[in-house]
Amino acid sequence: MTNRIIRTPGQIPRLPGAARVGDLVFTSGLISPSAAAAAPGEVVPFAQQARETLAEMKRILGEIGASTDDVVRVEAYLARREDFAEWNDQYNAVFPEVGPARITLVTAFASEAYLLEIQATAVSAGP
């Protein structure tokens, strides 16, 4: 038996939004579309970036036949430690019950416009 890899278009042309192998779904790193389109020196507020990034996760998962109910792990990368409480609020709005396993790290990004990047892993039989 061979596993066929299915990919969906991503936020950046050279990267998939998600890749599926069997029932496993992996998203690429996802960022806020507004942050990606920000002018040099412009920073989109963290709460907006978080909402948009989580919406991108839902959209990308939907394109490959999965949903937030199928997510088993979320990895989040914050540019600033002080955004952690807001990240929890935004995350809990999407996962109000006990949600997926998760990790949140504080790191530096290549662009100062990015305050958050996430990636998700899901298990879904697909459409």
Side-chain angles (χ1 to χ4, degrees), residues 4-99:
R4 191 180 78 162
I5 299 173
I6 300 168
R7 294 177 177 87
T8 63
Q11 292 181 300
I12 298 170
R14 300 246 332 124
L15 299 176
R20 172 190 288 282
V21 179
D23 291 347
L24 290 174
V25 174
F26 305 91
T27 71
S28 288
L30 303 170
I31 59 172
S32 154
S34 293
E42 178 185 7
V43 177
V44 175
F46 181 84
Q48 180 180 345
Q49 287 196 34
R51 281 190 304 275
E52 289 181 4
T53 302
L54 287 162
E56 278 294 291
M57 179 188 69
K58 290 180 184 180
R59 182 185 69 77
I60 294 287
L61 289 170
E63 286 182 358
I64 204 155
S67 74
T68 55
D69 291 339
D70 302 314
V71 175
V72 295
R73 181 172 169 85
V74 173
E75 296 174 33
Y77 303 89
L78 308 178
R80 306 180 305 207
R81 180 176 288 117
E82 60 266 25
D83 291 325
F84 184 69
E86 180 65 32
W87 166 240
N88 278 335
D89 290 345
Q90 298 296 330
Y91 178 90
N92 289 333
V94 173
F95 299 104
E97 303 295 322
V98 175

